[in-house]
């Protein structure tokens, strides 16, 4: 026997039980019987503490009392052994982990048979496993176990104390499953004499949704982390939460050993495990809208149900008097929704991009929510022996920034990071231009860095923003391009990272049929197309130190039949080089070099193997597939309505100047893996990233990863693709997290760009 409880061996009729096995028994032993009304549970009101303890002892005591008939116990252990093996085999560290593994879900039937229906009966009366009732149930069991430990005369006397602590810790572990945190279990309860009571089934649906989607949680100590629920335990996204759960359970065992040493018990308000359990942050507004919530107390309690089940960002609720809820109708309504069909999209384990992402979202007129996401390291309690840490990619923090005097009706146009922890935003409210700075410095806390309104500005239709270092002294600047009948450019600069941008230099622009603006090295490029004479005018702009003077040159390119859809700057060369893409049912790719006097089209090809018109969303990148290589043209195509995903890669023949090879197209259909893609992956944006992938095709940090953010019925999800080692023009899906800590996918409202407000470091 050791103080941690890890080596506990509790003997029942010749069967040796471990601490962990006893923890699992909370779902399998109870005082409920099939097709009977629920008896009094540990957490039911109106009981004395001694009455609660007696119920707990009666439930847990069924196990040691089965000394003479261990058949049920042995059946349960046999199922647990097979379940453990199958669960581990579903966790191939490559691409095969599925959070909705069908085998895992099938264990319910086997446990029901082994317990002669008791398993189902407990599930119909299991509010001791949810929310504050679970806190009460664990507190009761922990208190009893501590009393036994304090009375123990030697370590062997501790066996009973550790046994009851292990059983009580089932309720504690439930509190680390997001499906058990906010579901109003008592309200969602029906008549247990009815087969599959509709109210209890509704609770299961909310439990499953919260478990699959996760939540951002905090605790009394002020720690915050991403948590997930049932069927997610060994997904890498859940390792942070697994660490926290194990720490809390260990704290409970440690308190037992301390009680044994001191012969004293502590008060419930001092129980460390209860200070470590997750709770939902109040007023943060980051987690998705719950399927159900309640307000008030019986008999006037009101049940609220999310009106639009398929939009988990829609806060509208339908209310019912709890005594008059049409449960069968409500159950049918939920079962007809898309979220039930797609409850468990595919999780693919090796989601390890290098990207650090900040998500900005306006909560109200005076406050912004700031989420950060990025690589994390956690201790590893899993199936890979010998490892002490596990790398994953996860949500890392959440804060709220107060921005001072606010304006509610803002249409945001642009946002980016202008310093280590400072973000700059441009938006409009009527004729006013809104300049907002948000600081997210951990040392100072989230706050408004500046909040400036420029009154009665000239209209700026279809604004386009380019931000980067475009002066000789490499200072950042922001170019705002305005279209309409009076097109113009505006140069905005910042005296410092904590002061508001100022309009440093406006200048007029021509009125083209099509304009593409971008940055190439330190040059701001304005490529304007004139259909009447089929020509491009390339305007090249650079600035002297501190943006004191603009140096501009223009080059006319004649005989260009059509305006391009995309122009990509080649950052792998010191030249001002571009790939120009013009497409419809096929695609034309040109490689250009531009200087102050000429446009040189070095290669021009038309490819028919790829049809861009089939893509409902299409992102293009110009980047090397390998270090020190020339840039390839890479496309990421999503085709509706089945959400088929394709990558298309045009590698250079020798150099981009000599043209490109025929495209390599890699396609992933929705059945590439079960629940891999579908209507639950609505496009937000795709960007490039390095990845760290110790278990997949390309070990170590590599370039050319594609990070795709998507909307999963209102919740943020992400997918990672990477070139295949040795066959780099082909891409592989190496990771997917279909729901990241239950966070809403919406960032900033404004210009119709769903990706506005996602900022990549």
């Amino acid at each position: 026997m050791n103080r941690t409880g890890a080596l506990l061996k509790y003997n029942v009729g010749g069967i040796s039980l471990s601490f962990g096995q006893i923890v699992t028994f909370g779902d399998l032993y109870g005082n409920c019987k099939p097709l009977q009304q629920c008896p009094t549970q540990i957490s039911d009101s109106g009981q004395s503490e001694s009455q609660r303890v007696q119920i707990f002892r009666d439930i847990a005591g069924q196990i040691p009392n089965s000394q003479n008939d261990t058949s049920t116990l042995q059946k349960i252990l046999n199922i647990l052994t097979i379940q453990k093996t199958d669960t581990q085999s579903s966790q191939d560290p490559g691409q095969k982990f599925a959070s909705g593994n069908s085998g895992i879900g099938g264990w319910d039937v086997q446990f029901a048979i082994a317990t002669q229906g008791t398993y189902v009966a407990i599930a119909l009366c299991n509010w001791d496993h949810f929310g504050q009732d679970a806190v009460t149930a664990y507190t009761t069991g922990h208190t009893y176990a501590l009393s036994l430990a304090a009375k123990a005369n030697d370590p062997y006397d501790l066996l009973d104390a550790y046994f009851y602590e292990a059983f009580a810790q089932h309720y504690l572990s439930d509190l680390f499953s997001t499906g058990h945190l906010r579901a109003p279990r008592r309200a969602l309860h029906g008549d247990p004499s009815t087969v599959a009571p509709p109210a209890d089934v509704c609770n299961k649906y909310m439990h499953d949704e919260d478990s699959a989607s996760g939540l951002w949680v905090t605790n009394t100590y002020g720690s915050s982390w991403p948590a997930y629920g049932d069927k997610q335990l060994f997904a890498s996204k859940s390792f942070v939460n697994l660490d926290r759960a194990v720490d809390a359970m260990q704290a409970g065992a440690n308190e037992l050993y301390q009680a044994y040493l001191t012969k004293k018990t502590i008060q419930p308000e001092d129980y460390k495990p209860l200070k470590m359990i997750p709770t939902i942050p109040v007023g943060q507004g980051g987690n998705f809208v719950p399927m159900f919530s309640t307000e008030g107390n019986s008999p006037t309690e009101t049940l609220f149900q999310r009106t639009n089940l398929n939009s988990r960002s829609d806060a509208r609720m339908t209310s019912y008097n709890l005594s008059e809820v049409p449960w069968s109708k409500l159950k049918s309504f939920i079962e007809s929704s898309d979220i039930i069909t797609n409850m468990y999209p595919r999780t693919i384990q090796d989601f390890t991009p290098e990207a650090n992402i900040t998500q900005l979202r306006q909560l109200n007129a005076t406050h912004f929510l700031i989420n950060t996401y990025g690589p994390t390291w956690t201790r590893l309690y899993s199936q890979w022996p010998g490892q002490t840490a596990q790398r994953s990619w996860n949500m890392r923090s959440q804060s709220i920034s107060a921005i001072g005097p606010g304006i509610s009706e803002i249409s945001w146009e642009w946002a980016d990071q202008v310093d280590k922890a400072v973000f700059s935003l441009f938006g409009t409210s009527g004729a006013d231009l809104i300049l907002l700075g948000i600081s997210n410095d951990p040392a100072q806390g989230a706050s408004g860095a500046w909040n400036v309104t420029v009154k009665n500005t000239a209209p700026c239709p279809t604004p386009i923003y380019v931000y980067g270092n475009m002066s000789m002294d490499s200072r950042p600047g922001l170019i705002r391009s305005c279209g309409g009948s009076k097109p113009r450019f505006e140069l905005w600069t910042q005296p410092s990272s904590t002061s508001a941008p100022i309009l440093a230099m406006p200048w007029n622009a021509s009125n083209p049929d099509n304009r593409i603006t971008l940055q190439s090295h330190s040059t701001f490029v304005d490529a304007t197309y004139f259909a009447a004479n089929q020509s491009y005018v390339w305007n090249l702009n650079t600035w002297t130190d501190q943006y004191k003077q603009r140096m501009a040159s223009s080059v006319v390119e004649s005989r260009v039949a059509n305006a391009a859809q995309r122009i990509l700057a080649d950052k792998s060369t010191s030249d001002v080089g571009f790939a120009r893409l013009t497409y419809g049912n096929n695609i034309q790719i040109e490689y250009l070099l531009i200087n102050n006097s000429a446009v040189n089209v070095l290669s021009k090809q038309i490819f028919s193997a790829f049809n861009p018109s089939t893509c409902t969303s299409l992102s293009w990148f110009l980047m090397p597939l390998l270090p020190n290589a020339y840039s390839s043209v890479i496309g990421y195509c999503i085709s509706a309505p089945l959400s088929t995903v394709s990558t298309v890669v045009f590698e250079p023949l020798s150099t981009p100047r000599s043209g490109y090879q025929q495209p390599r197209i890699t396609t992933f259909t929705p059945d590439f893996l079960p629940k891999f893609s579908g209507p639950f992956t609505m496009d937000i944006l795709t960007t490039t990233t390095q990845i760290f992938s110790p278990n997949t095709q390309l070990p170590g940090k590599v370039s050319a990863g594609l990070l795709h953010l998507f909307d999963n019925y209102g919740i943020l999800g992400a997918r990672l693709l990477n070139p295949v080692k040795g066959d780099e023009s082909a891409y592989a899906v190496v990771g997917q997290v279909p729901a990241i800590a239950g966070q809403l996918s919406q960032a900033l409202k404004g210009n119709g760009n769903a990706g506005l407000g996602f900022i990549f470091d």
Side-chain angles (χ1 to χ4, degrees), residues 451-748:
N451 189 345
V452 176
T453 299
V454 183
K455 304 292 284 187
N456 299 316
T457 59
C460 184
T462 59
I464 301 173
Y465 289 79
V466 175
Y467 178 72
N469 298 331
M470 292 171 285
S471 66
M472 289 184 177
D473 56 351
S474 298
R475 290 174 179 264
L478 175 65
I479 307 295
R480 184 181 188 229
S481 169
C482 299
S485 60
K486 297 181 179 180
R488 70 184 187 278
F489 292 103
E490 299 171 352
L491 168 65
W492 293 79
T493 61
Q494 281 184 259
S496 72
S497 63
T498 57
S499 59
I502 59 174
L503 179 57
M505 186 181 299
W507 72 96
N508 292 328
S510 56
N511 192 359
D513 301 291
N514 181 285
R515 168 177 282 119
I516 295 177
T517 59
L518 67 160
Q519 181 187 359
S520 176
H521 303 296
S522 61
T523 302
F524 171 68
V525 180
D526 162 31
T528 61
Y529 183 75
F530 296 88
N533 54 10
Q534 294 189 331
S535 66
Y536 262 102
V537 175
W538 294 81
N539 299 301
L540 311 180
N541 303 269
T542 58
W543 281 263
T544 59
D545 291 357
Q546 301 181 34
Y547 292 96
K548 291 181 178 179
Q549 182 179 353
R550 180 172 70 98
M551 297 173 292
S553 62
S554 296
V555 182
V556 177
E557 180 190 8
S558 303
R559 296 187 296 277
V560 182
N562 296 292
Q565 278 81 6
R566 288 295 305 274
I567 298 176
L568 308 171
D570 190 354
K571 299 179 181 179
S572 67
T573 174
S574 59
D575 297 322
V576 182
F578 303 92
R580 182 166 60 192
L581 281 56
T582 309
Y583 48 81
N585 293 330
N586 54 28
I587 182 168
Q588 174 182 283
I589 301 180
E590 302 164 275
Y591 191 83
L592 302 81
L593 286 182
I594 301 175
N595 55 40
N596 292 337
S597 60
V599 176
N600 298 303
V601 180
L602 303 181
S603 65
K604 181 177 180 179
Q605 299 162 280
I606 295 178
F607 300 94
S608 58
F610 174 65
N611 183 356
S613 66
T614 63
C615 305
T616 53
S617 174
L618 180 56
S619 302
W620 289 105
F621 309 96
L622 186 62
M623 59 187 177
L625 291 169
L626 292 171
N628 303 316
Y630 289 107
S631 292
S632 297
V633 175
I634 301 170
Y636 182 72
C637 167
I638 303 173
S639 302
L642 298 177
S643 297
T644 295
V645 174
S646 299
T647 58
V648 53
V649 177
F650 299 87
E651 289 192 275
L653 290 169
S654 55
T655 73
R657 300 179 181 214
S658 57
Y660 294 90
Q661 302 176 32
Q662 286 294 318
R664 176 71 176 275
I665 302 172
T666 308
T667 299
F668 307 93
T669 61
D671 58 358
F672 155 67
L673 290 171
K675 300 293 184 182
F676 160 69
S677 189
F680 49 85
T681 54
M682 299 297 292
D683 181 51
I684 296 176
L685 65 86
T686 303
T687 189
T688 61
T689 180
Q690 288 187 328
I691 75 165
F692 180 93
S693 185
N695 297 318
T696 54
Q697 295 96 330
L698 291 169
K701 292 183 179 180
V702 296
S703 300
L706 298 177
L707 178 60
H708 176 208
L709 301 184
F710 57 81
D711 176 296
N712 175 5
Y713 299 117
I715 297 176
L716 181 64
R719 172 185 298 149
L720 180 64
L721 298 91
N722 201 61
V724 176
K725 184 178 181 180
D727 188 15
E728 283 76 18
S729 61
Y731 269 77
V733 178
V734 295
Q736 180 164 290
V737 179
I740 305 174
Q743 295 304 289
L744 297 179
S745 61
Q746 177 187 316
L748 296 178

Side-chain angles (χ1 to χ4, degrees), residues 126-139:
N126 64 349
W127 41 85
D128 278 351
H129 300 244
F130 286 80
Q132 189 57 43
D133 288 332
V135 173
T136 300
Y138 173 68
T139 301

Side-chain angles (χ1 to χ4, degrees), residues 82-105:
I82 300 171
Q83 184 185 45
K84 178 181 178 181
T85 301
D86 284 7
T87 301
Q88 289 180 346
S89 67
S90 73
Q91 295 166 41
D92 179 353
Q95 301 181 23
K96 298 180 181 178
F97 184 86
S99 56
N101 183 282
S102 59
I104 295 175

Side-chain angles (χ1 to χ4, degrees), residues 324-533:
E324 300 173 351
V325 179
W327 289 116
S328 295
K329 182 179 179 180
L330 197 54
K331 171 177 171 287
S332 298
F333 175 64
I334 297 172
E335 290 172 343
S336 66
S337 68
D338 292 340
I339 59 168
I340 296 301
T341 304
N342 299 308
M343 183 66 76
Y344 285 101
R346 172 70 58 146
T347 291
I348 304 174
Q349 280 288 67
D350 262 339
F351 191 81
T352 53
E354 286 291 296
N356 293 288
I357 302 176
T358 300
Q359 179 187 13
L360 304 177
R361 184 159 63 86
Q362 187 172 5
L363 295 175
N364 50 47
T366 57
H367 290 86
F368 268 73
L369 186 74
I370 307 173
N371 287 347
T372 65
Y373 309 86
T376 59
W377 287 93
T378 60
R379 296 193 313 279
L380 183 65
Y381 299 97
S382 75
Q383 80 280 14
W384 296 297
Q387 288 188 250
T388 58
Q390 173 72 11
R391 182 189 173 94
S392 63
W393 191 93
N394 225 319
M395 184 172 171
R396 295 198 300 199
S397 69
Q398 183 175 91
S399 58
I400 290 181
S401 173
I403 60 174
I407 300 175
S408 56
E409 297 299 323
I410 298 178
S411 176
W412 294 107
E413 297 179 351
W414 174 81
D416 209 336
Q417 187 169 358
V418 296
D419 196 49
K420 183 178 180 181
V422 179
F423 304 93
S424 180
L425 289 77
F426 274 55
T428 57
S429 179
D432 299 337
L433 180 63
I434 310 299
L435 312 179
L436 181 65
I438 299 175
S439 173
N440 194 33
D441 188 342
Q444 300 178 5
S447 62
W450 62 82
N451 189 345
V452 176
T453 299
V454 183
K455 304 292 284 187
N456 299 316
T457 59
C460 184
T462 59
I464 301 173
Y465 289 79
V466 175
Y467 178 72
N469 298 331
M470 292 171 285
S471 66
M472 289 184 177
D473 56 351
S474 298
R475 290 174 179 264
L478 175 65
I479 307 295
R480 184 181 188 229
S481 169
C482 299
S485 60
K486 297 181 179 180
R488 70 184 187 278
F489 292 103
E490 299 171 352
L491 168 65
W492 293 79
T493 61
Q494 281 184 259
S496 72
S497 63
T498 57
S499 59
I502 59 174
L503 179 57
M505 186 181 299
W507 72 96
N508 292 328
S510 56
N511 192 359
D513 301 291
N514 181 285
R515 168 177 282 119
I516 295 177
T517 59
L518 67 160
Q519 181 187 359
S520 176
H521 303 296
S522 61
T523 302
F524 171 68
V525 180
D526 162 31
T528 61
Y529 183 75
F530 296 88
N533 54 10

